Amino acid sequence: MDFDFSEEQRQLGDAMQRFVAGEYSFEKRKAILAGPDGFSRDVWKQLGELGFLALLVPEEHGGMGAGPVEILLVMNAIGKGLLLEPYLPSAILATLLLRGDVSDAAPQSRSEADSPGELLSRMAAGEVIAVPAHTEFGARYDLRHVATKATKTPDGYALSGEKAVVLHAPAADFLVVSARTAGADTDERGISLFLVARDAPGLSMRLFRTMDGQRAADVKLENVPAKLIAENALPRIEAAFDFGIAALCAEAVGALQASLDATIDYTKTRQQFGQPIAKFQALQHRMADMFIQVEQARSMSFLAAMRCTDSDARERSRNLSAAKALVGQAARFVGQQSIQLHGGMGMTDELAISHHFRRLTAIELMLGDTEHHLERFAKGRA
């Protein structure tokens, strides 16, 4: 099997790496993180102008119609540079949730301005941010667990319920919300997707920061007006989130490589007993173990990218769980080792390694932690 990237793919990856190196220094990132929004709208606009937000948008709506390999290369660079912008929630997850509706419109009237195709075009240009609001309290990574209710009204639908840990919800213009039009809370059928404006009446948010400093919110919906996107949408949600797992694995590899590189550089300069600590054999063994973990994670991220669009949902989820579990183990091991080898300085905000550690810890928990994916993988073999 040929694992070489095409010339176009290499150019795309190099372009994103150059953007991160030239436009997203660590000091600039710290200033953005401390800012009121927790991300830079100027950077988001730049990403749109350079075409990075259009990768998964169909060509007929101003996108590039790219695939998981291109996303892998972009997410590697995002992981290395610790970008704070909502690339995964908006440019990947929300885009995939909306994209299926472009050619199969839901059965209700819409204005051209808020049609899925028009919205995707604006998202590709960096003009609009949409994020998914699916997870609920007590769901524990079960995508079928949806208690939010959708009630038919003369003008469309009204949603009532709560969504938990909606990443970048404070910055979003729209939320792609899952709600039940039929069935019990954990039924596979009856889950529909809706488009909700951020400033819609009846929508409120409890804002907070995640462990890696990014902005999120718990969202409360009280008879919030919404536009139907798709009915019986669980397969679409599962496919989008499996694709998101592959993207997270790729981001983790970028952060893992950056952590390993920073640790090697630090041990070459840190002196003890008159020599760099990189010369101590015990520490060399630990860094060799870190290297092995990074390379295993890289291989599994390739597997995730190759299998995340499989039509066989059972086999797809099994492969994605295998990748996420191994990458999660690598994130924990490499993150902890890098902090320990840096000593006390590794825990301070002054060094990027502490930020990489927090991001790797967050990635291990996102879209299913290691324990969840080990269990899902085991069930997939049954």
Side-chain angles (χ1 to χ4, degrees):
M1 184 175 291
D2 184 8
F3 287 97
D4 287 336
F5 299 118
S6 68
E7 182 62 28
E8 292 79 8
Q9 290 167 342
R10 283 195 293 270
Q11 290 176 355
L12 175 70
D14 290 344
M16 190 62 181
Q17 294 284 356
R18 287 195 301 271
F19 175 81
V20 170
E23 303 293 333
Y24 218 87
S25 68
F26 178 57
E27 292 303 320
K28 180 176 180 178
R29 181 189 182 275
K30 287 201 296 184
I32 293 172
L33 184 62
D37 295 330
F39 81 104
S40 170
R41 295 185 183 274
D42 289 338
V43 169
W44 190 250
K45 188 68 174 177
Q46 284 181 278
L47 291 172
E49 292 170 351
L50 292 170
F52 294 118
L53 303 183
L55 290 180
L56 296 180
V57 175
E59 294 180 14
E60 61 268 29
H61 295 286
M64 298 174 63
V69 174
E70 288 77 14
I71 293 297
L72 177 145
L73 293 167
V74 169
M75 293 301 287
N76 280 169
I78 286 176
K80 180 179 179 180
L82 290 169
L83 266 66
L84 296 163
E85 285 60 45
Y87 196 89
L88 175 67
S90 186
I92 297 178
L93 293 178
T95 297
L96 291 173
L97 292 174
L98 291 166
R99 191 173 70 176
D101 197 44
V102 170
S103 59
D104 184 20
Q108 67 180 84
S109 61
R110 301 180 182 194
S111 67
E112 181 65 22
D114 59 11
S115 69
E118 176 64 22
L119 182 58
L120 285 170
S121 297
R122 298 178 65 196
M123 290 168 65
E127 299 172 359
V128 169
I129 296 173
V131 300
H134 177 71
T135 304
E136 298 192 358
F137 296 99
R140 290 299 301 167
Y141 308 124
D142 184 358
L143 297 181
R144 300 169 302 173
H145 186 115
V146 176
T148 300
K149 303 297 182 183
T151 305
K152 194 77 171 69
T153 68
D155 298 322
Y157 284 85
L159 307 185
S160 295
E162 292 183 271
K163 297 295 181 179
V165 195
V166 180
L167 294 175
H168 293 281
D173 300 289
F174 293 95
L175 304 180
V176 182
V177 183
S178 59
R180 284 204 171 274
T181 49
D185 289 358
T186 57
D187 285 354
E188 292 188 0
R189 295 187 61 81
I191 300 173
S192 299
L193 286 173
F194 297 86
L195 190 65
V196 175
R198 164 67 176 81
D199 57 355
L203 187 152
S204 59
M205 296 186 180
R206 184 181 69 85
L207 310 182
F208 56 89
R209 295 193 184 202
T210 58
M211 67 176 64
D212 56 344
Q214 299 197 29
R215 306 303 200 272
D218 295 333
V219 178
K220 188 173 184 179
L221 306 157
E222 296 180 303
N223 291 318
V224 175
K227 295 182 180 295
L228 179 65
I229 296 174
E231 295 179 303
N232 290 318
L234 181 61
R236 186 190 297 194
I237 294 169
E238 290 176 335
F241 277 58
D242 278 346
F243 197 111
I245 289 170
L248 266 182
C249 289
E251 180 185 355
V253 169
L256 287 166
Q257 187 64 59
S259 298
L260 176 61
D261 293 343
T263 302
I264 292 173
D265 289 343
Y266 180 79
T267 59
K268 288 179 179 179
T269 58
R270 176 73 168 88
Q271 297 277 329
Q272 196 168 24
F273 304 115
Q275 61 181 330
I277 61 175
K279 291 187 176 182
F280 299 159
Q281 191 175 56
L283 301 191
Q284 291 174 358
H285 289 169
R286 291 172 68 175
M287 286 183 282
D289 289 339
M290 292 171 65
F291 173 80
I292 292 170
Q293 292 281 337
V294 173
E295 291 307 306
Q296 288 179 336
R298 193 187 316 279
S299 295
M300 293 305 281
S301 76
F302 288 165
L303 172 68
M306 290 187 295
R307 304 308 296 270
C308 69
T309 56
D310 283 358
S311 57
D312 185 334
R314 182 186 178 99
E315 188 65 17
R316 183 187 69 222
S317 66
R318 181 172 174 270
N319 281 282
L320 269 295
S321 284
K324 184 62 162 61
L326 192 143
V327 169
Q329 291 170 347
R332 181 170 298 183
F333 179 83
V334 174
Q336 291 176 350
Q337 291 295 317
S338 62
I339 292 294
Q340 291 173 17
L341 290 173
H342 274 80
M345 284 294 293
M347 295 297 295
T348 68
D349 283 346
E350 296 177 31
L351 297 185
I353 196 66
S354 68
H355 297 259
H356 278 112
F357 175 69
R358 286 194 286 267
R359 182 57 186 163
L360 285 169
T361 303
I363 288 174
E364 194 271 334
L365 297 172
M366 290 175 65
L367 302 184
D369 60 16
T370 300
E371 182 179 353
H372 166 78
H373 282 288
L374 286 172
E375 182 179 350
R376 192 172 84 149
F377 178 78
K379 288 181 178 178
R381 298 182 64 184

mmCIF file of all heavy atoms in Angstrom, residues 97-125:
data_model
loop_
_atom_site.group_PDB
_atom_site.id
_atom_site.type_symbol
_atom_site.label_atom_id
_atom_site.label_comp_id
_atom_site.label_asym_id
_atom_site.label_seq_id
_atom_site.Cartn_x
_atom_site.Cartn_y
_atom_site.Cartn_z
ATOM 1 N N LEU A 97 -22.179 17.710 9.284
ATOM 2 C CA LEU A 97 -23.577 17.576 9.652
ATOM 3 C C LEU A 97 -24.492 18.337 8.695
ATOM 4 O O LEU A 97 -25.608 17.895 8.401
ATOM 5 C CB LEU A 97 -23.801 18.064 11.077
ATOM 6 C CG LEU A 97 -23.160 17.215 12.184
ATOM 7 C CD1 LEU A 97 -23.326 17.885 13.534
ATOM 8 C CD2 LEU A 97 -23.754 15.815 12.212
ATOM 9 N N LEU A 98 -24.027 19.471 8.200
ATOM 10 C CA LEU A 98 -24.811 20.266 7.257
ATOM 11 C C LEU A 98 -24.693 19.775 5.829
ATOM 12 O O LEU A 98 -25.623 19.900 5.038
ATOM 13 C CB LEU A 98 -24.365 21.731 7.322
ATOM 14 C CG LEU A 98 -24.707 22.506 8.593
ATOM 15 C CD1 LEU A 98 -23.903 23.796 8.650
ATOM 16 C CD2 LEU A 98 -26.202 22.803 8.642
ATOM 17 N N ARG A 99 -23.550 19.203 5.493
ATOM 18 C CA ARG A 99 -23.238 18.910 4.096
ATOM 19 C C ARG A 99 -24.204 17.916 3.459
ATOM 20 O O ARG A 99 -24.580 18.069 2.288
ATOM 21 C CB ARG A 99 -21.816 18.362 3.997
ATOM 22 C CG ARG A 99 -21.296 18.281 2.578
ATOM 23 C CD ARG A 99 -19.832 17.898 2.568
ATOM 24 N NE ARG A 99 -19.639 16.505 2.979
ATOM 25 C CZ ARG A 99 -18.452 15.904 2.971
ATOM 26 N NH1 ARG A 99 -17.375 16.585 2.615
ATOM 27 N NH2 ARG A 99 -18.337 14.653 3.352
ATOM 28 N N GLY A 100 -24.644 16.937 4.215
ATOM 29 C CA GLY A 100 -25.546 15.950 3.654
ATOM 30 C C GLY A 100 -26.879 16.527 3.245
ATOM 31 O O GLY A 100 -27.620 15.924 2.470
ATOM 32 N N ASP A 101 -27.216 17.709 3.761
ATOM 33 C CA ASP A 101 -28.511 18.318 3.490
ATOM 34 C C ASP A 101 -28.500 19.213 2.263
ATOM 35 O O ASP A 101 -29.533 19.735 1.854
ATOM 36 C CB ASP A 101 -28.956 19.130 4.712
ATOM 37 C CG ASP A 101 -30.438 19.454 4.681
ATOM 38 O OD1 ASP A 101 -31.238 18.570 4.364
ATOM 39 O OD2 ASP A 101 -30.772 20.613 4.966
ATOM 40 N N VAL A 102 -27.335 19.389 1.649
ATOM 41 C CA VAL A 102 -27.251 20.299 0.509
ATOM 42 C C VAL A 102 -28.081 19.786 -0.653
ATOM 43 O O VAL A 102 -28.799 20.536 -1.314
ATOM 44 C CB VAL A 102 -25.775 20.481 0.081
ATOM 45 C CG1 VAL A 102 -25.691 21.218 -1.241
ATOM 46 C CG2 VAL A 102 -25.030 21.263 1.149
ATOM 47 N N SER A 103 -27.993 18.487 -0.924
ATOM 48 C CA SER A 103 -28.708 17.926 -2.058
ATOM 49 C C SER A 103 -30.012 17.247 -1.666
ATOM 50 O O SER A 103 -30.758 16.779 -2.515
ATOM 51 C CB SER A 103 -27.809 16.895 -2.773
ATOM 52 O OG SER A 103 -27.441 15.867 -1.868
ATOM 53 N N ASP A 104 -30.289 17.187 -0.355
ATOM 54 C CA ASP A 104 -31.475 16.490 0.133
ATOM 55 C C ASP A 104 -32.148 17.362 1.180
ATOM 56 O O ASP A 104 -32.097 17.090 2.369
ATOM 57 C CB ASP A 104 -31.090 15.129 0.724
ATOM 58 C CG ASP A 104 -32.300 14.327 1.169
ATOM 59 O OD1 ASP A 104 -33.399 14.636 0.693
ATOM 60 O OD2 ASP A 104 -32.134 13.402 1.979
ATOM 61 N N ALA A 105 -32.766 18.435 0.717
ATOM 62 C CA ALA A 105 -33.308 19.438 1.626
ATOM 63 C C ALA A 105 -34.436 18.862 2.465
ATOM 64 O O ALA A 105 -35.222 18.030 2.024
ATOM 65 C CB ALA A 105 -33.825 20.646 0.842
ATOM 66 N N ALA A 106 -34.503 19.309 3.706
ATOM 67 C CA ALA A 106 -35.574 18.873 4.585
ATOM 68 C C ALA A 106 -36.898 19.422 4.085
ATOM 69 O O ALA A 106 -36.952 20.471 3.432
ATOM 70 C CB ALA A 106 -35.295 19.370 6.011
ATOM 71 N N PRO A 107 -37.999 18.762 4.389
ATOM 72 C CA PRO A 107 -39.287 19.138 3.823
ATOM 73 C C PRO A 107 -39.906 20.344 4.503
ATOM 74 O O PRO A 107 -40.866 20.241 5.250
ATOM 75 C CB PRO A 107 -40.125 17.880 4.057
ATOM 76 C CG PRO A 107 -39.544 17.265 5.290
ATOM 77 C CD PRO A 107 -38.077 17.534 5.194
ATOM 78 N N GLN A 108 -39.341 21.512 4.246
ATOM 79 C CA GLN A 108 -39.927 22.753 4.731
ATOM 80 C C GLN A 108 -39.338 23.891 3.911
ATOM 81 O O GLN A 108 -38.280 23.781 3.306
ATOM 82 C CB GLN A 108 -39.644 22.961 6.219
ATOM 83 C CG GLN A 108 -38.170 23.211 6.549
ATOM 84 C CD GLN A 108 -37.947 23.417 8.017
ATOM 85 O OE1 GLN A 108 -37.809 22.494 8.783
ATOM 86 N NE2 GLN A 108 -37.912 24.651 8.438
ATOM 87 N N SER A 109 -40.021 25.005 3.884
ATOM 88 C CA SER A 109 -39.551 26.131 3.079
ATOM 89 C C SER A 109 -38.391 26.810 3.771
ATOM 90 O O SER A 109 -38.312 26.868 4.987
ATOM 91 C CB SER A 109 -40.692 27.133 2.877
ATOM 92 O OG SER A 109 -41.131 27.630 4.118
ATOM 93 N N ARG A 110 -37.484 27.357 2.955
ATOM 94 C CA ARG A 110 -36.317 28.053 3.480
ATOM 95 C C ARG A 110 -36.015 29.239 2.590
ATOM 96 O O ARG A 110 -36.224 29.194 1.389
ATOM 97 C CB ARG A 110 -35.089 27.148 3.509
ATOM 98 C CG ARG A 110 -35.258 25.904 4.343
ATOM 99 C CD ARG A 110 -33.996 25.111 4.286
ATOM 100 N NE ARG A 110 -34.177 23.891 5.059
ATOM 101 C CZ ARG A 110 -33.210 23.104 5.440
ATOM 102 N NH1 ARG A 110 -31.985 23.386 5.146
ATOM 103 N NH2 ARG A 110 -33.447 22.013 6.129
ATOM 104 N N SER A 111 -35.460 30.258 3.199
ATOM 105 C CA SER A 111 -34.943 31.346 2.390
ATOM 106 C C SER A 111 -33.563 30.963 1.894
ATOM 107 O O SER A 111 -32.875 30.142 2.501
ATOM 108 C CB SER A 111 -34.866 32.634 3.222
ATOM 109 O OG SER A 111 -33.898 32.506 4.231
ATOM 110 N N GLU A 112 -33.143 31.523 0.783
ATOM 111 C CA GLU A 112 -31.827 31.203 0.241
ATOM 112 C C GLU A 112 -30.732 31.583 1.214
ATOM 113 O O GLU A 112 -29.691 30.929 1.300
ATOM 114 C CB GLU A 112 -31.618 31.952 -1.086
ATOM 115 C CG GLU A 112 -30.280 31.686 -1.755
ATOM 116 C CD GLU A 112 -30.122 30.240 -2.191
ATOM 117 O OE1 GLU A 112 -31.141 29.554 -2.373
ATOM 118 O OE2 GLU A 112 -28.968 29.789 -2.340
ATOM 119 N N ALA A 113 -30.974 32.624 2.023
ATOM 120 C CA ALA A 113 -29.929 33.119 2.924
ATOM 121 C C ALA A 113 -29.593 32.119 4.026
ATOM 122 O O ALA A 113 -28.470 32.092 4.503
ATOM 123 C CB ALA A 113 -30.361 34.445 3.550
ATOM 124 N N ASP A 114 -30.572 31.286 4.442
ATOM 125 C CA ASP A 114 -30.268 30.365 5.526
ATOM 126 C C ASP A 114 -30.335 28.907 5.073
ATOM 127 O O ASP A 114 -30.473 28.008 5.890
ATOM 128 C CB ASP A 114 -31.204 30.590 6.725
ATOM 129 C CG ASP A 114 -32.674 30.408 6.353
ATOM 130 O OD1 ASP A 114 -32.955 29.913 5.242
ATOM 131 O OD2 ASP A 114 -33.537 30.745 7.172
ATOM 132 N N SER A 115 -30.232 28.674 3.765
ATOM 133 C CA SER A 115 -30.179 27.303 3.271
ATOM 134 C C SER A 115 -28.833 26.689 3.649
ATOM 135 O O SER A 115 -27.847 27.398 3.844
ATOM 136 C CB SER A 115 -30.357 27.276 1.756
ATOM 137 O OG SER A 115 -29.229 27.849 1.119
ATOM 138 N N PRO A 116 -28.762 25.358 3.759
ATOM 139 C CA PRO A 116 -27.480 24.729 4.108
ATOM 140 C C PRO A 116 -26.370 25.081 3.131
ATOM 141 O O PRO A 116 -25.225 25.295 3.545
ATOM 142 C CB PRO A 116 -27.821 23.233 4.076
ATOM 143 C CG PRO A 116 -29.265 23.160 4.374
ATOM 144 C CD PRO A 116 -29.853 24.385 3.725
ATOM 145 N N GLY A 117 -26.676 25.130 1.823
ATOM 146 C CA GLY A 117 -25.641 25.456 0.848
ATOM 147 C C GLY A 117 -25.077 26.847 1.038
ATOM 148 O O GLY A 117 -23.858 27.055 0.996
ATOM 149 N N GLU A 118 -25.961 27.817 1.262
ATOM 150 C CA GLU A 118 -25.502 29.186 1.480
ATOM 151 C C GLU A 118 -24.711 29.293 2.777
ATOM 152 O O GLU A 118 -23.688 29.988 2.847
ATOM 153 C CB GLU A 118 -26.706 30.127 1.516
ATOM 154 C CG GLU A 118 -26.371 31.584 1.841
ATOM 155 C CD GLU A 118 -25.494 32.248 0.802
ATOM 156 O OE1 GLU A 118 -25.478 31.765 -0.355
ATOM 157 O OE2 GLU A 118 -24.828 33.245 1.129
ATOM 158 N N LEU A 119 -25.159 28.598 3.807
ATOM 159 C CA LEU A 119 -24.457 28.630 5.084
ATOM 160 C C LEU A 119 -23.073 28.019 4.945
ATOM 161 O O LEU A 119 -22.088 28.552 5.482
ATOM 162 C CB LEU A 119 -25.269 27.878 6.140
ATOM 163 C CG LEU A 119 -24.690 27.864 7.559
ATOM 164 C CD1 LEU A 119 -24.495 29.281 8.080
ATOM 165 C CD2 LEU A 119 -25.595 27.075 8.487
ATOM 166 N N LEU A 120 -22.954 26.906 4.228
ATOM 167 C CA LEU A 120 -21.656 26.287 4.015
ATOM 168 C C LEU A 120 -20.717 27.216 3.260
ATOM 169 O O LEU A 120 -19.513 27.270 3.551
ATOM 170 C CB LEU A 120 -21.820 24.974 3.251
ATOM 171 C CG LEU A 120 -22.363 23.789 4.056
ATOM 172 C CD1 LEU A 120 -22.706 22.627 3.131
ATOM 173 C CD2 LEU A 120 -21.376 23.343 5.116
ATOM 174 N N SER A 121 -21.235 27.947 2.287
ATOM 175 C CA SER A 121 -20.407 28.898 1.545
ATOM 176 C C SER A 121 -19.848 29.974 2.467
ATOM 177 O O SER A 121 -18.668 30.342 2.382
ATOM 178 C CB SER A 121 -21.219 29.543 0.418
ATOM 179 O OG SER A 121 -21.637 28.589 -0.526
ATOM 180 N N ARG A 122 -20.681 30.474 3.351
ATOM 181 C CA ARG A 122 -20.239 31.506 4.287
ATOM 182 C C ARG A 122 -19.274 30.941 5.326
ATOM 183 O O ARG A 122 -18.339 31.623 5.753
ATOM 184 C CB ARG A 122 -21.453 32.142 4.957
ATOM 185 C CG ARG A 122 -22.397 32.856 3.986
ATOM 186 C CD ARG A 122 -23.603 33.411 4.704
ATOM 187 N NE ARG A 122 -23.219 34.448 5.641
ATOM 188 C CZ ARG A 122 -24.015 34.899 6.616
ATOM 189 N NH1 ARG A 122 -25.213 34.373 6.799
ATOM 190 N NH2 ARG A 122 -23.595 35.842 7.423
ATOM 191 N N MET A 123 -19.487 29.706 5.741
ATOM 192 C CA MET A 123 -18.545 29.058 6.664
ATOM 193 C C MET A 123 -17.193 28.855 5.990
ATOM 194 O O MET A 123 -16.145 29.038 6.616
ATOM 195 C CB MET A 123 -19.108 27.721 7.128
ATOM 196 C CG MET A 123 -20.304 27.844 8.072
ATOM 197 S SD MET A 123 -21.172 26.265 8.336
ATOM 198 C CE MET A 123 -19.899 25.329 9.184
ATOM 199 N N ALA A 124 -17.194 28.467 4.719
ATOM 200 C CA ALA A 124 -15.940 28.262 3.994
ATOM 201 C C ALA A 124 -15.136 29.549 3.886
ATOM 202 O O ALA A 124 -13.903 29.531 3.886
ATOM 203 C CB ALA A 124 -16.228 27.706 2.604
ATOM 204 N N ALA A 125 -15.827 30.682 3.802
ATOM 205 C CA ALA A 125 -15.159 31.970 3.689
ATOM 206 C C ALA A 125 -14.741 32.551 5.029
ATOM 207 O O ALA A 125 -14.086 33.603 5.084
ATOM 208 C CB ALA A 125 -16.076 32.960 2.968
#
